[in-house]
Amino acid sequence: MSMTTVAEPETLRVQYLSAEDISTAASLIYQAYHDDPVLQNVLGYKEDNPSKYETKLRALVREELASFWQEKQPLIGLYSQSRLKAIACVFDSSSELQAERYWHWRLKLMLSAGYLQTNQLIEKECTIREMLAEKGQYLFLAFIAVDPHFQRQGLGRYLLRGLDDLVDSHQQVSGLAVFVTRGEQREFFSSEGFEVFKALSFNQVEGELMFKAAKE
């Protein structure tokens, strides 16, 4: 998949992530999700000593990216020339990338993030899958992140519109889903055609599943 969008004075390109950009993608996701309330809750964020939380978060992002890469699930990058400026991680609900994960992913994550935390993350994903079951086969946006140096330039929108092409290329899927926990996230996705599907509370953190149906 390749989509080119011209934005003066640069050309933006949406394409599958290159292997050499995995570490950059991990850094972007880590920065974007550092303050995520669900992850802070599950991974035990403490304001007076954030280092343990940050170590666990880095491990989670690393293992998630590895699992997406190994299972050949869409890792979509937004590039300007050769520089990765934004990343989106998507999985197909019918893929092998199930909530229980394969055993070595669980083992590695348990060793780095903790047994309880790993099971809580799996529980969250299982709950989301159950709530989306009526949608049949769909794509789910697990992570979306923009380089902090280039935020508020509309890059997230360019990337999200590139995902419209991804949905269109999977004729069997019903649409694209995402889970949000903040008002500004809800407003952003609403402005791009997503609708609130169901409310969800996880570990006392309120959030919403949003869904954008595929074009008929």
Side-chain angles (χ1 to χ4, degrees), residues 51-94:
S51 59
K52 288 186 178 180
Y53 163 76
E54 292 170 348
T55 297
K56 291 179 179 180
L57 179 59
R58 287 191 178 91
L60 171 65
V61 171
R62 182 178 64 248
E63 298 305 331
E64 288 281 43
L65 277 174
S67 65
F68 272 82
W69 186 264
Q70 291 168 12
E71 290 300 319
K72 296 180 172 60
Q73 292 302 294
L75 295 173
I76 310 298
L78 175 67
Y79 290 83
S80 173
Q81 298 177 351
S82 60
R83 179 170 183 173
L84 178 66
K85 288 192 172 181
I87 175 69
C89 305
V90 181
F91 68 77
D92 189 321
S93 63
S94 67

mmCIF file of all heavy atoms in Angstrom, residues 51-94:
data_model
loop_
_atom_site.group_PDB
_atom_site.id
_atom_site.type_symbol
_atom_site.label_atom_id
_atom_site.label_comp_id
_atom_site.label_asym_id
_atom_site.label_seq_id
_atom_site.Cartn_x
_atom_site.Cartn_y
_atom_site.Cartn_z
ATOM 1 N N SER A 51 10.206 5.440 37.209
ATOM 2 C CA SER A 51 11.171 4.654 36.439
ATOM 3 C C SER A 51 10.703 3.218 36.191
ATOM 4 O O SER A 51 10.890 2.680 35.088
ATOM 5 C CB SER A 51 12.533 4.648 37.126
ATOM 6 O OG SER A 51 12.447 4.109 38.425
ATOM 7 N N LYS A 52 10.103 2.574 37.202
ATOM 8 C CA LYS A 52 9.637 1.200 37.015
ATOM 9 C C LYS A 52 8.518 1.139 35.973
ATOM 10 O O LYS A 52 8.486 0.241 35.132
ATOM 11 C CB LYS A 52 9.156 0.611 38.346
ATOM 12 C CG LYS A 52 10.274 0.293 39.319
ATOM 13 C CD LYS A 52 9.738 -0.413 40.555
ATOM 14 C CE LYS A 52 10.877 -0.774 41.510
ATOM 15 N NZ LYS A 52 10.366 -1.467 42.718
ATOM 16 N N TYR A 53 7.608 2.097 36.053
ATOM 17 C CA TYR A 53 6.534 2.170 35.068
ATOM 18 C C TYR A 53 7.102 2.353 33.666
ATOM 19 O O TYR A 53 6.676 1.680 32.713
ATOM 20 C CB TYR A 53 5.593 3.330 35.404
ATOM 21 C CG TYR A 53 4.707 3.749 34.256
ATOM 22 C CD1 TYR A 53 3.598 2.992 33.892
ATOM 23 C CD2 TYR A 53 4.994 4.901 33.511
ATOM 24 C CE1 TYR A 53 2.797 3.368 32.817
ATOM 25 C CE2 TYR A 53 4.193 5.284 32.457
ATOM 26 C CZ TYR A 53 3.097 4.514 32.113
ATOM 27 O OH TYR A 53 2.307 4.889 31.051
ATOM 28 N N GLU A 54 8.048 3.240 33.528
ATOM 29 C CA GLU A 54 8.617 3.526 32.212
ATOM 30 C C GLU A 54 9.360 2.322 31.640
ATOM 31 O O GLU A 54 9.309 2.062 30.438
ATOM 32 C CB GLU A 54 9.525 4.750 32.302
ATOM 33 C CG GLU A 54 8.730 6.028 32.574
ATOM 34 C CD GLU A 54 9.593 7.228 32.912
ATOM 35 O OE1 GLU A 54 10.810 7.025 33.167
ATOM 36 O OE2 GLU A 54 9.077 8.357 32.933
ATOM 37 N N THR A 55 10.018 1.567 32.504
ATOM 38 C CA THR A 55 10.696 0.343 32.059
ATOM 39 C C THR A 55 9.672 -0.671 31.553
ATOM 40 O O THR A 55 9.862 -1.304 30.506
ATOM 41 C CB THR A 55 11.506 -0.276 33.211
ATOM 42 O OG1 THR A 55 12.523 0.644 33.608
ATOM 43 C CG2 THR A 55 12.145 -1.589 32.774
ATOM 44 N N LYS A 56 8.578 -0.822 32.282
ATOM 45 C CA LYS A 56 7.530 -1.758 31.877
ATOM 46 C C LYS A 56 6.858 -1.308 30.582
ATOM 47 O O LYS A 56 6.535 -2.124 29.712
ATOM 48 C CB LYS A 56 6.490 -1.908 32.989
ATOM 49 C CG LYS A 56 7.002 -2.633 34.223
ATOM 50 C CD LYS A 56 5.914 -2.727 35.292
ATOM 51 C CE LYS A 56 6.422 -3.474 36.519
ATOM 52 N NZ LYS A 56 5.377 -3.584 37.565
ATOM 53 N N LEU A 57 6.642 0.010 30.454
ATOM 54 C CA LEU A 57 6.012 0.526 29.247
ATOM 55 C C LEU A 57 6.897 0.295 28.030
ATOM 56 O O LEU A 57 6.410 -0.107 26.959
ATOM 57 C CB LEU A 57 5.712 2.015 29.403
ATOM 58 C CG LEU A 57 5.061 2.709 28.202
ATOM 59 C CD1 LEU A 57 3.725 2.046 27.851
ATOM 60 C CD2 LEU A 57 4.876 4.200 28.482
ATOM 61 N N ARG A 58 8.191 0.535 28.165
ATOM 62 C CA ARG A 58 9.115 0.269 27.051
ATOM 63 C C ARG A 58 9.071 -1.203 26.650
ATOM 64 O O ARG A 58 9.088 -1.540 25.465
ATOM 65 C CB ARG A 58 10.533 0.682 27.433
ATOM 66 C CG ARG A 58 10.763 2.178 27.473
ATOM 67 C CD ARG A 58 12.245 2.511 27.599
ATOM 68 N NE ARG A 58 12.472 3.944 27.586
ATOM 69 C CZ ARG A 58 12.520 4.709 28.663
ATOM 70 N NH1 ARG A 58 12.373 4.154 29.868
ATOM 71 N NH2 ARG A 58 12.731 6.012 28.582
ATOM 72 N N ALA A 59 9.021 -2.090 27.654
ATOM 73 C CA ALA A 59 8.967 -3.526 27.380
ATOM 74 C C ALA A 59 7.673 -3.879 26.654
ATOM 75 O O ALA A 59 7.675 -4.671 25.700
ATOM 76 C CB ALA A 59 9.075 -4.316 28.685
ATOM 77 N N LEU A 60 6.567 -3.300 27.099
ATOM 78 C CA LEU A 60 5.280 -3.572 26.457
ATOM 79 C C LEU A 60 5.300 -3.140 24.999
ATOM 80 O O LEU A 60 4.905 -3.905 24.104
ATOM 81 C CB LEU A 60 4.167 -2.839 27.208
ATOM 82 C CG LEU A 60 2.794 -2.849 26.527
ATOM 83 C CD1 LEU A 60 2.235 -4.262 26.448
ATOM 84 C CD2 LEU A 60 1.822 -1.924 27.250
ATOM 85 N N VAL A 61 5.765 -1.917 24.740
ATOM 86 C CA VAL A 61 5.804 -1.406 23.367
ATOM 87 C C VAL A 61 6.710 -2.280 22.504
ATOM 88 O O VAL A 61 6.365 -2.633 21.365
ATOM 89 C CB VAL A 61 6.284 0.061 23.346
ATOM 90 C CG1 VAL A 61 6.531 0.513 21.911
ATOM 91 C CG2 VAL A 61 5.268 0.968 24.034
ATOM 92 N N ARG A 62 7.859 -2.660 23.038
ATOM 93 C CA ARG A 62 8.798 -3.509 22.295
ATOM 94 C C ARG A 62 8.165 -4.848 21.921
ATOM 95 O O ARG A 62 8.254 -5.291 20.760
ATOM 96 C CB ARG A 62 10.051 -3.735 23.140
ATOM 97 C CG ARG A 62 11.117 -4.579 22.434
ATOM 98 C CD ARG A 62 12.363 -4.727 23.290
ATOM 99 N NE ARG A 62 12.098 -5.465 24.524
ATOM 100 C CZ ARG A 62 12.144 -4.923 25.739
ATOM 101 N NH1 ARG A 62 12.419 -3.640 25.911
ATOM 102 N NH2 ARG A 62 11.901 -5.664 26.811
ATOM 103 N N GLU A 63 7.510 -5.499 22.877
ATOM 104 C CA GLU A 63 6.926 -6.806 22.612
ATOM 105 C C GLU A 63 5.713 -6.703 21.698
ATOM 106 O O GLU A 63 5.475 -7.578 20.854
ATOM 107 C CB GLU A 63 6.543 -7.497 23.926
ATOM 108 C CG GLU A 63 7.720 -7.778 24.849
ATOM 109 C CD GLU A 63 8.824 -8.578 24.184
ATOM 110 O OE1 GLU A 63 8.535 -9.373 23.275
ATOM 111 O OE2 GLU A 63 9.994 -8.400 24.564
ATOM 112 N N GLU A 64 4.934 -5.635 21.846
ATOM 113 C CA GLU A 64 3.788 -5.456 20.957
ATOM 114 C C GLU A 64 4.246 -5.279 19.511
ATOM 115 O O GLU A 64 3.702 -5.900 18.592
ATOM 116 C CB GLU A 64 2.962 -4.239 21.405
ATOM 117 C CG GLU A 64 2.167 -4.438 22.671
ATOM 118 C CD GLU A 64 0.882 -5.205 22.442
ATOM 119 O OE1 GLU A 64 0.907 -6.207 21.693
ATOM 120 O OE2 GLU A 64 -0.135 -4.832 23.017
ATOM 121 N N LEU A 65 5.238 -4.424 19.300
ATOM 122 C CA LEU A 65 5.739 -4.219 17.944
ATOM 123 C C LEU A 65 6.313 -5.509 17.364
ATOM 124 O O LEU A 65 6.114 -5.812 16.176
ATOM 125 C CB LEU A 65 6.803 -3.122 17.930
ATOM 126 C CG LEU A 65 6.295 -1.681 17.864
ATOM 127 C CD1 LEU A 65 7.447 -0.711 18.017
ATOM 128 C CD2 LEU A 65 5.554 -1.431 16.553
ATOM 129 N N ALA A 66 7.008 -6.270 18.197
ATOM 130 C CA ALA A 66 7.573 -7.537 17.726
ATOM 131 C C ALA A 66 6.480 -8.497 17.307
ATOM 132 O O ALA A 66 6.596 -9.186 16.279
ATOM 133 C CB ALA A 66 8.435 -8.166 18.826
ATOM 134 N N SER A 67 5.390 -8.536 18.071
ATOM 135 C CA SER A 67 4.304 -9.456 17.737
ATOM 136 C C SER A 67 3.589 -9.020 16.458
ATOM 137 O O SER A 67 3.226 -9.852 15.620
ATOM 138 C CB SER A 67 3.314 -9.566 18.900
ATOM 139 O OG SER A 67 2.661 -8.339 19.138
ATOM 140 N N PHE A 68 3.402 -7.707 16.276
ATOM 141 C CA PHE A 68 2.792 -7.216 15.036
ATOM 142 C C PHE A 68 3.677 -7.575 13.843
ATOM 143 O O PHE A 68 3.186 -8.012 12.795
ATOM 144 C CB PHE A 68 2.613 -5.696 15.111
ATOM 145 C CG PHE A 68 1.328 -5.252 15.731
ATOM 146 C CD1 PHE A 68 1.192 -5.186 17.114
ATOM 147 C CD2 PHE A 68 0.235 -4.898 14.955
ATOM 148 C CE1 PHE A 68 0.014 -4.775 17.707
ATOM 149 C CE2 PHE A 68 -0.952 -4.487 15.528
ATOM 150 C CZ PHE A 68 -1.065 -4.429 16.910
ATOM 151 N N TRP A 69 4.977 -7.362 13.987
ATOM 152 C CA TRP A 69 5.906 -7.623 12.891
ATOM 153 C C TRP A 69 5.941 -9.105 12.533
ATOM 154 O O TRP A 69 5.870 -9.478 11.359
ATOM 155 C CB TRP A 69 7.290 -7.125 13.271
ATOM 156 C CG TRP A 69 8.295 -7.205 12.156
ATOM 157 C CD1 TRP A 69 9.194 -8.205 11.926
ATOM 158 C CD2 TRP A 69 8.481 -6.257 11.102
ATOM 159 N NE1 TRP A 69 9.940 -7.940 10.811
ATOM 160 C CE2 TRP A 69 9.522 -6.748 10.284
ATOM 161 C CE3 TRP A 69 7.882 -5.035 10.794
ATOM 162 C CZ2 TRP A 69 9.959 -6.050 9.158
ATOM 163 C CZ3 TRP A 69 8.321 -4.341 9.670
ATOM 164 C CH2 TRP A 69 9.348 -4.854 8.877
ATOM 165 N N GLN A 70 6.029 -9.957 13.545
ATOM 166 C CA GLN A 70 6.127 -11.398 13.312
ATOM 167 C C GLN A 70 4.855 -11.964 12.701
ATOM 168 O O GLN A 70 4.913 -12.895 11.884
ATOM 169 C CB GLN A 70 6.448 -12.122 14.623
ATOM 170 C CG GLN A 70 7.860 -11.841 15.133
ATOM 171 C CD GLN A 70 8.081 -12.304 16.562
ATOM 172 O OE1 GLN A 70 7.273 -13.029 17.130
ATOM 173 N NE2 GLN A 70 9.170 -11.862 17.160
ATOM 174 N N GLU A 71 3.712 -11.404 13.082
ATOM 175 C CA GLU A 71 2.443 -11.895 12.544
ATOM 176 C C GLU A 71 2.018 -11.171 11.274
ATOM 177 O O GLU A 71 0.927 -11.391 10.758
ATOM 178 C CB GLU A 71 1.347 -11.762 13.606
ATOM 179 C CG GLU A 71 1.502 -12.717 14.769
ATOM 180 C CD GLU A 71 1.460 -14.176 14.330
ATOM 181 O OE1 GLU A 71 0.626 -14.523 13.456
ATOM 182 O OE2 GLU A 71 2.272 -14.960 14.845
ATOM 183 N N LYS A 72 2.904 -10.282 10.786
ATOM 184 C CA LYS A 72 2.660 -9.567 9.531
ATOM 185 C C LYS A 72 1.352 -8.771 9.568
ATOM 186 O O LYS A 72 0.600 -8.722 8.584
ATOM 187 C CB LYS A 72 2.672 -10.530 8.337
ATOM 188 C CG LYS A 72 4.034 -11.183 8.114
ATOM 189 C CD LYS A 72 4.008 -12.128 6.921
ATOM 190 C CE LYS A 72 5.409 -12.625 6.579
ATOM 191 N NZ LYS A 72 6.060 -13.356 7.684
ATOM 192 N N GLN A 73 1.102 -8.157 10.720
ATOM 193 C CA GLN A 73 -0.042 -7.258 10.840
ATOM 194 C C GLN A 73 0.392 -5.845 10.434
ATOM 195 O O GLN A 73 1.569 -5.488 10.555
ATOM 196 C CB GLN A 73 -0.568 -7.270 12.270
ATOM 197 C CG GLN A 73 -1.198 -8.595 12.675
ATOM 198 C CD GLN A 73 -2.351 -8.969 11.745
ATOM 199 O OE1 GLN A 73 -3.376 -8.309 11.708
ATOM 200 N NE2 GLN A 73 -2.179 -10.050 10.989
ATOM 201 N N PRO A 74 -0.546 -5.027 9.937
ATOM 202 C CA PRO A 74 -0.166 -3.727 9.370
ATOM 203 C C PRO A 74 0.505 -2.788 10.361
ATOM 204 O O PRO A 74 -0.079 -2.407 11.369
ATOM 205 C CB PRO A 74 -1.505 -3.154 8.892
ATOM 206 C CG PRO A 74 -2.375 -4.349 8.659
ATOM 207 C CD PRO A 74 -1.985 -5.330 9.723
ATOM 208 N N LEU A 75 1.735 -2.425 10.064
ATOM 209 C CA LEU A 75 2.450 -1.349 10.736
ATOM 210 C C LEU A 75 2.615 -0.255 9.684
ATOM 211 O O LEU A 75 3.401 -0.394 8.752
ATOM 212 C CB LEU A 75 3.809 -1.826 11.245
ATOM 213 C CG LEU A 75 3.787 -2.904 12.343
ATOM 214 C CD1 LEU A 75 5.194 -3.401 12.642
ATOM 215 C CD2 LEU A 75 3.141 -2.353 13.610
ATOM 216 N N ILE A 76 1.850 0.820 9.823
ATOM 217 C CA ILE A 76 1.759 1.835 8.782
ATOM 218 C C ILE A 76 2.490 3.094 9.224
ATOM 219 O O ILE A 76 2.224 3.650 10.292
ATOM 220 C CB ILE A 76 0.282 2.174 8.472
ATOM 221 C CG1 ILE A 76 -0.521 0.900 8.221
ATOM 222 C CG2 ILE A 76 0.197 3.120 7.283
ATOM 223 C CD1 ILE A 76 -0.045 0.090 7.031
ATOM 224 N N GLY A 77 3.437 3.546 8.409
ATOM 225 C CA GLY A 77 4.207 4.726 8.744
ATOM 226 C C GLY A 77 3.883 5.903 7.845
ATOM 227 O O GLY A 77 3.535 5.728 6.673
ATOM 228 N N LEU A 78 3.990 7.098 8.401
ATOM 229 C CA LEU A 78 3.882 8.332 7.631
ATOM 230 C C LEU A 78 5.289 8.910 7.516
ATOM 231 O O LEU A 78 5.935 9.201 8.528
ATOM 232 C CB LEU A 78 2.958 9.335 8.328
ATOM 233 C CG LEU A 78 2.852 10.715 7.668
ATOM 234 C CD1 LEU A 78 2.174 10.618 6.309
ATOM 235 C CD2 LEU A 78 2.096 11.692 8.574
ATOM 236 N N TYR A 79 5.764 9.033 6.290
ATOM 237 C CA TYR A 79 7.137 9.465 6.045
ATOM 238 C C TYR A 79 7.161 10.826 5.342
ATOM 239 O O TYR A 79 6.306 11.135 4.507
ATOM 240 C CB TYR A 79 7.863 8.461 5.145
ATOM 241 C CG TYR A 79 8.156 7.135 5.799
ATOM 242 C CD1 TYR A 79 7.192 6.139 5.857
ATOM 243 C CD2 TYR A 79 9.409 6.871 6.358
ATOM 244 C CE1 TYR A 79 7.470 4.910 6.455
ATOM 245 C CE2 TYR A 79 9.693 5.651 6.947
ATOM 246 C CZ TYR A 79 8.715 4.673 6.992
ATOM 247 O OH TYR A 79 8.997 3.462 7.583
ATOM 248 N N SER A 80 8.177 11.600 5.692
ATOM 249 C CA SER A 80 8.525 12.789 4.938
ATOM 250 C C SER A 80 9.935 12.549 4.429
ATOM 251 O O SER A 80 10.872 12.455 5.233
ATOM 252 C CB SER A 80 8.479 14.045 5.814
ATOM 253 O OG SER A 80 8.969 15.159 5.093
ATOM 254 N N GLN A 81 10.064 12.420 3.121
ATOM 255 C CA GLN A 81 11.312 11.949 2.521
ATOM 256 C C GLN A 81 11.607 10.581 3.141
ATOM 257 O O GLN A 81 10.832 9.673 3.003
ATOM 258 C CB GLN A 81 12.416 12.976 2.732
ATOM 259 C CG GLN A 81 12.115 14.309 2.058
ATOM 260 C CD GLN A 81 13.164 15.360 2.305
ATOM 261 O OE1 GLN A 81 14.061 15.189 3.111
ATOM 262 N NE2 GLN A 81 13.053 16.473 1.604
ATOM 263 N N SER A 82 12.697 10.425 3.858
ATOM 264 C CA SER A 82 12.983 9.116 4.441
ATOM 265 C C SER A 82 12.758 9.081 5.945
ATOM 266 O O SER A 82 13.046 8.086 6.602
ATOM 267 C CB SER A 82 14.444 8.726 4.150
ATOM 268 O OG SER A 82 15.338 9.686 4.719
ATOM 269 N N ARG A 83 12.213 10.151 6.504
ATOM 270 C CA ARG A 83 12.050 10.237 7.958
ATOM 271 C C ARG A 83 10.661 9.803 8.389
ATOM 272 O O ARG A 83 9.649 10.295 7.862
ATOM 273 C CB ARG A 83 12.317 11.660 8.433
ATOM 274 C CG ARG A 83 12.135 11.827 9.945
ATOM 275 C CD ARG A 83 12.639 13.164 10.426
ATOM 276 N NE ARG A 83 12.513 13.281 11.879
ATOM 277 C CZ ARG A 83 13.000 14.292 12.586
ATOM 278 N NH1 ARG A 83 13.650 15.260 11.966
ATOM 279 N NH2 ARG A 83 12.836 14.322 13.891
ATOM 280 N N LEU A 84 10.602 8.895 9.360
ATOM 281 C CA LEU A 84 9.327 8.445 9.920
ATOM 282 C C LEU A 84 8.810 9.512 10.877
ATOM 283 O O LEU A 84 9.464 9.872 11.845
ATOM 284 C CB LEU A 84 9.519 7.126 10.669
ATOM 285 C CG LEU A 84 8.269 6.548 11.354
ATOM 286 C CD1 LEU A 84 7.224 6.130 10.310
ATOM 287 C CD2 LEU A 84 8.643 5.364 12.238
ATOM 288 N N LYS A 85 7.596 10.010 10.592
ATOM 289 C CA LYS A 85 7.030 11.065 11.424
ATOM 290 C C LYS A 85 5.819 10.605 12.236
ATOM 291 O O LYS A 85 5.436 11.272 13.207
ATOM 292 C CB LYS A 85 6.644 12.272 10.566
ATOM 293 C CG LYS A 85 7.843 13.055 10.041
ATOM 294 C CD LYS A 85 7.416 14.378 9.456
ATOM 295 C CE LYS A 85 8.620 15.258 9.118
ATOM 296 N NZ LYS A 85 8.206 16.570 8.574
ATOM 297 N N ALA A 86 5.205 9.503 11.827
ATOM 298 C CA ALA A 86 4.043 8.999 12.568
ATOM 299 C C ALA A 86 3.892 7.511 12.278
ATOM 300 O O ALA A 86 4.346 7.009 11.247
ATOM 301 C CB ALA A 86 2.775 9.759 12.175
ATOM 302 N N ILE A 87 3.249 6.809 13.201
ATOM 303 C CA ILE A 87 3.110 5.362 13.085
ATOM 304 C C ILE A 87 1.725 4.924 13.552
ATOM 305 O O ILE A 87 1.184 5.501 14.500
ATOM 306 C CB ILE A 87 4.206 4.636 13.913
ATOM 307 C CG1 ILE A 87 4.021 3.117 13.902
ATOM 308 C CG2 ILE A 87 4.246 5.164 15.341
ATOM 309 C CD1 ILE A 87 4.278 2.454 12.584
ATOM 310 N N ALA A 88 1.165 3.944 12.884
ATOM 311 C CA ALA A 88 -0.099 3.341 13.302
ATOM 312 C C ALA A 88 0.060 1.822 13.271
ATOM 313 O O ALA A 88 0.595 1.262 12.311
ATOM 314 C CB ALA A 88 -1.240 3.760 12.369
ATOM 315 N N CYS A 89 -0.387 1.168 14.339
ATOM 316 C CA CYS A 89 -0.336 -0.292 14.438
ATOM 317 C C CYS A 89 -1.769 -0.825 14.396
ATOM 318 O O CYS A 89 -2.594 -0.454 15.237
ATOM 319 C CB CYS A 89 0.328 -0.734 15.737
ATOM 320 S SG CYS A 89 1.983 -0.056 15.992
ATOM 321 N N VAL A 90 -2.034 -1.682 13.440
ATOM 322 C CA VAL A 90 -3.387 -2.175 13.203
ATOM 323 C C VAL A 90 -3.362 -3.693 13.176
ATOM 324 O O VAL A 90 -2.389 -4.287 12.695
ATOM 325 C CB VAL A 90 -3.924 -1.645 11.846
ATOM 326 C CG1 VAL A 90 -5.337 -2.130 11.584
ATOM 327 C CG2 VAL A 90 -3.860 -0.121 11.808
ATOM 328 N N PHE A 91 -4.409 -4.330 13.705
ATOM 329 C CA PHE A 91 -4.501 -5.775 13.506
ATOM 330 C C PHE A 91 -5.889 -6.164 13.005
ATOM 331 O O PHE A 91 -6.879 -5.488 13.268
ATOM 332 C CB PHE A 91 -4.124 -6.573 14.769
ATOM 333 C CG PHE A 91 -5.069 -6.454 15.938
ATOM 334 C CD1 PHE A 91 -6.283 -7.133 15.956
ATOM 335 C CD2 PHE A 91 -4.725 -5.701 17.041
ATOM 336 C CE1 PHE A 91 -7.141 -7.042 17.036
ATOM 337 C CE2 PHE A 91 -5.571 -5.604 18.132
ATOM 338 C CZ PHE A 91 -6.782 -6.278 18.134
ATOM 339 N N ASP A 92 -5.917 -7.248 12.253
ATOM 340 C CA ASP A 92 -7.142 -7.822 11.720
ATOM 341 C C ASP A 92 -7.722 -8.741 12.787
ATOM 342 O O ASP A 92 -7.026 -9.588 13.340
ATOM 343 C CB ASP A 92 -6.816 -8.603 10.439
ATOM 344 C CG ASP A 92 -8.059 -9.059 9.692
ATOM 345 O OD1 ASP A 92 -9.029 -9.468 10.345
ATOM 346 O OD2 ASP A 92 -8.042 -9.020 8.449
ATOM 347 N N SER A 93 -9.003 -8.590 13.083
ATOM 348 C CA SER A 93 -9.624 -9.389 14.149
ATOM 349 C C SER A 93 -9.598 -10.882 13.855
ATOM 350 O O SER A 93 -9.738 -11.692 14.774
ATOM 351 C CB SER A 93 -11.074 -8.944 14.363
ATOM 352 O OG SER A 93 -11.848 -9.170 13.189
ATOM 353 N N SER A 94 -9.410 -11.263 12.608
ATOM 354 C CA SER A 94 -9.381 -12.686 12.249
ATOM 355 C C SER A 94 -7.967 -13.250 12.246
ATOM 356 O O SER A 94 -7.770 -14.423 11.924
ATOM 357 C CB SER A 94 -10.001 -12.891 10.863
ATOM 358 O OG SER A 94 -9.199 -12.288 9.854
#
